[in-house]
């Protein structure tokens, strides 16, 4: 990636302001390349939540989407958490409201609620556990088998977890990430036909994840080359694998980091149009403005934060 003089100046200013503010910059794997390249910590939702807990900095600049910054604010009420663009939302988080969750819980009294981290603070406050794609299986397995489970809001991740754990008493909310849902089985098949020796890396939120699990179990997809992984584990696998080519079924932003870490390997998007517009909203200019002007401060009401914190802390500690 070619860096312009303007970008270089912006990066220098950002570094200066980070020192002035005693700030850390956390960025998700789906951010634009310029943001990934200046992050102090780059990772998936779980890795970034853990980094937010561990930091000793006074200010956290969160380059991700709104629910991620909320999570950091809940875990660090004494720190300033900044989201450079307030419009950076999440279609998956919007697929369930706290009112809908309360109604669902009322129909299943006593059930354990496991909420994907892609949810609002209010939904987390009504949950027993939060999880990410990297530890959802571990969290469900930690719950006594006789306990009924309400898993929300992603139906594809829920189906993956139910299949992996064999939990028949697990109910799944019918929500989806519009970007991941748009990665369909035929698209994976098309790329696999052209690159039959490639490792297939599938995020469990994808519309193709269920068929990939089934085809893997039936031997149609090679078991040693088909992997259902979180973004963090995709990066780990691409570094450790002996394969030369990889088909990546998730938001395309992660490919920048894969190519950066593995310059001799080739990475192909299962669907090149799998781009989350919310994840692309944060720019170098907005990060600098956030540091200089203290915008936008993300806060969560104390009562909501207190209720949500236990579920989030369970997420951070498991897996």
């Amino acid at each position: 990636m070619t860096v312009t003089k303007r970008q270089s100046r912006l990066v220098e200013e950002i570094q200066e302001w980070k020192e002035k503010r005693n700030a850390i910059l956390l960025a998700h794997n789906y951010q634009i390349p310029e943001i990934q390249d200046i992050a102090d910590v780059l990772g998936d939702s779980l890795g970034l939540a853990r980094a937010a807990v561990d930091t000793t900095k006074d200010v956290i600049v969160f380059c991700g989407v709104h629910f991620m910054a909320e999570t950091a604010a809940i875990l660090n009420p004494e720190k300033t958490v900044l989201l450079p663009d307030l419009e950076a939302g999440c279609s998956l988080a919007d697929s369930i409201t706290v009112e809908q969750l309360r109604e669902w819980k009322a129909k299943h009294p006593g059930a354990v609620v496991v909420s994907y981290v892609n949810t609002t603070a209010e939904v987390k406050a009504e949950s027993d556990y939060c999880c990410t794609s990297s530890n959802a299986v571990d969290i469900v397995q930690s719950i006594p088998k006789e306990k009924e489970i309400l898993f929300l809001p992603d139906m594809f991740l829920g189906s993956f977890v139910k299949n992996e754990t064999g939990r028949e008493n697990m109910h799944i909310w019918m929500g989806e990430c519009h970007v991941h849902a748009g990665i369909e089985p035929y698209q994976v098949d098309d790329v696999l036909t052209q690159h039959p020796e490639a490792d297939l890396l599938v995020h469990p939120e994808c519309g193709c994840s269920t068929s990939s699990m089934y085809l893997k179990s039936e031997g149609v997809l090679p078991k040693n080359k088909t992997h259902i992984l979180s973004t963090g584990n995709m990066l780990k696998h691409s570094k450790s694998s002996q394969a030369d080519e990889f088909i990546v079924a998730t938001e395309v932003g992660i490919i920048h980091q894969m190519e950066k870490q593995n310059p001799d390997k080739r990475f192909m998007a299962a669907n090149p149009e799998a781009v989350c517009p919310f994840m692309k909203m944060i720019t170098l200019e907005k990060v600098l403005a956030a540091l200089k002007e203290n915008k936008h401060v993300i806060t969560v009401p104390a009562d909501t934060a207190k209720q949500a914190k236990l579920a989030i802390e369970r997420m951070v500690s498991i897996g």
Side-chain angles (χ1 to χ4, degrees):
M1 185 184 74
T2 303
V3 179
T4 67
K5 288 183 179 179
R6 173 172 172 73
Q7 287 172 333
S8 294
R9 287 196 299 270
L10 285 167
V11 170
E12 287 178 9
E13 279 196 80
I14 287 168
Q15 298 299 344
E16 290 171 4
W17 275 93
K18 275 172 52 184
E19 290 185 22
K20 289 180 184 178
R21 299 292 308 276
N22 191 29
I24 186 171
L25 199 158
L26 308 183
H28 193 272
N29 293 318
Y30 297 155
Q31 290 289 295
I32 62 173
E34 302 95 294
I35 296 298
Q36 292 189 36
D37 290 345
I38 65 165
D40 296 304
V41 180
L42 180 69
D44 58 13
S45 297
L46 181 58
L48 296 177
R50 286 175 173 158
V53 170
D54 293 341
T55 187
T56 57
K57 300 293 186 180
D58 297 323
V59 177
I60 297 171
V61 182
F62 217 114
C63 297
V65 293
H66 195 273
F67 76 80
M68 296 178 181
E70 271 191 339
T71 301
I74 290 167
L75 292 170
N76 295 279
E78 76 288 356
K79 299 184 187 298
T80 300
V81 177
L82 304 176
L83 181 64
D85 192 325
L86 278 179
E87 297 301 312
C90 175
S91 63
L92 180 55
D94 290 342
S95 68
I96 186 167
T97 65
V98 67
E99 291 79 15
Q100 289 172 318
L101 175 54
R102 287 170 181 156
E103 289 176 13
W104 200 25
K105 287 173 67 175
K107 294 176 183 176
H108 300 273
V112 176
V113 178
V114 179
S115 292
Y116 196 23
V117 71
N118 300 46
T119 46
T120 64
E122 290 78 16
V123 167
K124 290 181 175 72
E126 288 286 335
S127 305
D128 299 294
Y129 293 82
C130 282
C131 70
T132 70
S133 55
S134 60
N135 71 353
V137 170
D138 291 331
I139 283 175
V140 168
Q141 287 177 330
S142 75
I143 298 168
K145 291 183 178 180
E146 69 275 8
K147 285 287 188 179
E148 193 175 18
I149 294 175
L150 303 182
F151 189 96
L152 63 104
D154 190 86
M155 60 183 176
F156 297 113
L157 177 61
S159 295
F160 170 73
V161 173
K162 188 172 184 177
N163 180 75
E164 289 292 299
T165 60
R167 294 292 288 255
E168 293 301 324
N169 58 348
M170 179 172 157
H171 308 281
I172 301 168
W173 187 261
M174 292 291 104
E176 64 179 29
C177 160
H178 74 285
V179 176
H180 281 108
I183 304 175
E184 300 188 45
Y186 79 88
Q187 295 168 324
V188 173
D189 291 342
D190 288 348
V191 186
L192 271 172
T193 300
Q194 299 172 46
H195 304 274
E197 297 303 312
D199 272 14
L200 173 61
L201 311 182
V202 180
H203 194 282
E205 281 183 45
C206 287
C208 63
S209 61
T210 303
S211 66
S212 295
M213 283 189 294
Y214 173 74
L215 294 174
K216 179 180 178 179
S217 68
E218 293 293 304
V220 177
L221 291 176
K223 291 185 179 181
N224 64 327
K225 287 185 169 293
T226 305
H227 309 275
I228 315 294
L229 300 168
S230 67
T231 55
N233 285 326
M234 282 185 182
L235 286 167
K236 290 177 184 176
H237 178 85
S238 64
K239 290 179 72 174
S240 63
S241 173
Q242 297 302 306
D244 296 319
E245 293 186 323
F246 300 82
I247 298 166
V248 183
T250 190
E251 210 274 355
V252 298
I254 196 173
I255 292 178
H256 171 70
Q257 202 57 218
M258 288 175 163
E259 291 175 337
K260 190 175 176 180
Q261 294 178 1
N262 308 277
D264 297 327
K265 297 179 181 181
R266 186 180 181 195
F267 299 90
M268 297 150 289
N271 178 0
E273 296 181 1
V275 178
C276 175
F278 299 116
M279 280 288 187
K280 309 305 184 196
M281 286 182 169
I282 294 174
T283 63
L284 293 174
E285 290 85 353
K286 291 176 182 177
V287 171
L288 181 58
L291 285 164
K292 291 173 72 173
E293 302 170 33
N294 206 46
K295 66 178 191 183
H296 304 274
V297 178
I298 302 300
T299 59
V300 178
D303 55 341
T304 301
K306 182 179 180 181
Q307 293 177 53
K309 189 174 183 181
L310 178 59
I312 296 170
E313 287 178 337
R314 286 171 170 169
M315 174 190 77
V316 172
S317 66
I318 294 175

